[in-house]
Amino acid sequence: MWKVSHAMNPTKSAAPIPKIHRVALVDNDPRALESLSLLIEAKVPTAYVVWTATSGDEAIERCQRNDDNLNLLVLDMSMEGLQGPAICHRIRLMDRHLPILGITSFSINSYRSRLMEAGAQGLIGKEDSDQLAKAIERLCGGNVMEGFEPPALANVRIRREEETSPRLTVREEQIIFLCADGMLDREIAERLDISESTVRKHMQGILKKLNCKTARQAVALWVRSHAR
């Protein structure tokens, strides 16, 4: 968890720096969201948190509405249901301007290539608050981290890829991720608040798109292509 120091200068008070960068945070851990919000407030004087989300669905919906004029989305990689790269891909497909910064408590190498393909502008570890603050400032300033594409270029590339390769819907991705975790149709239906027949119908669509004959084959293919 991030630690933020609040050192004060009792002899001189500087004029406050205007907060001009609007940031949104996505992490399925509410405590991590609280800590990250405090970090940004303390270490990035020009930025402030507009909203937070604990699920990929919520983040995609908020970005789709596009009524917050965001300057940066900070996205955790290890999420329940849709994983960080899948969330990033969905948002980048519909938004060619918003910079996306991935964060993770795992090894950077675990997600770097997948996140680059998903259209993000950077990836940083959660353990170093100073480096994280610098990355936030860098992306808010219109720059990207080494090896990553600007948002507009990533959007064009992903749109072209969509034309030649069928993609799963958000619901289909949720279902196949839960299948990969070993959950049964009944358990998936309860988790997503849908019927078992709806789960099976979505699985039929998944099999068709992935050109697989069985759910086991589809899950194995999906796991290999999305392995960390």
Side-chain angles (χ1 to χ4, degrees), residues 157-186:
R157 173 181 55 80
I158 290 174
R159 284 184 175 276
R160 288 175 178 170
E161 292 170 353
E162 288 286 309
E163 296 174 357
T164 59
S165 176
R167 298 287 301 187
L168 302 186
T169 66
V170 172
R171 182 64 86 193
E172 288 169 345
E173 286 198 17
Q174 290 173 327
I175 288 173
I176 199 164
F177 273 123
L178 294 175
C179 282
D181 284 340
M183 296 182 68
L184 303 175
D185 288 355
R186 174 180 53 80

Side-chain angles (χ1 to χ4, degrees), residues 188-222:
I188 294 172
E190 291 176 355
R191 172 72 66 86
L192 299 179
D193 195 25
I194 57 179
S195 67
E196 290 186 54
S197 62
T198 300
V199 173
R200 289 190 288 269
K201 183 177 180 180
H202 281 302
M203 183 54 71
Q204 290 173 0
I206 292 170
L207 295 180
K208 184 177 181 180
K209 288 181 179 180
L210 298 183
N211 195 26
C212 294
K213 295 182 178 180
T214 66
R216 178 176 295 181
Q217 183 183 5
V219 168
L221 177 63
W222 188 256

Side-chain angles (χ1 to χ4, degrees), residues 34 69 81 83 111 126 139 152 214:
E34 182 180 359
N69 297 317
Q83 295 292 291
Y111 290 102
K126 287 184 176 182
L139 269 64
T214 66

Side-chain angles (χ1 to χ4, degrees), residues 39-106:
L39 168 66
I40 292 175
E41 179 182 345
K43 293 207 169 191
V44 189
T46 61
Y48 64 103
V49 177
V50 179
W51 55 261
T52 64
T54 56
S55 74
D57 288 347
E58 183 183 359
I60 292 170
E61 180 183 352
R62 293 294 297 265
C63 290
Q64 191 169 26
R65 292 208 306 263
N66 195 27
D67 55 6
D68 297 299
N69 297 317
L70 293 179
N71 298 107
L72 178 66
L73 180 73
V74 180
L75 173 64
D76 186 33
M77 293 293 94
S78 182
M79 301 283 292
E80 293 183 3
L82 285 183
Q83 295 292 291
I87 298 168
C88 177
H89 180 275
R90 297 286 175 185
I91 295 173
R92 177 56 62 232
L93 186 60
M94 64 187 184
D95 192 313
R96 64 189 301 271
H97 300 291
L98 177 64
I100 300 174
L101 174 64
I103 57 173
T104 182
S105 56
F106 296 97

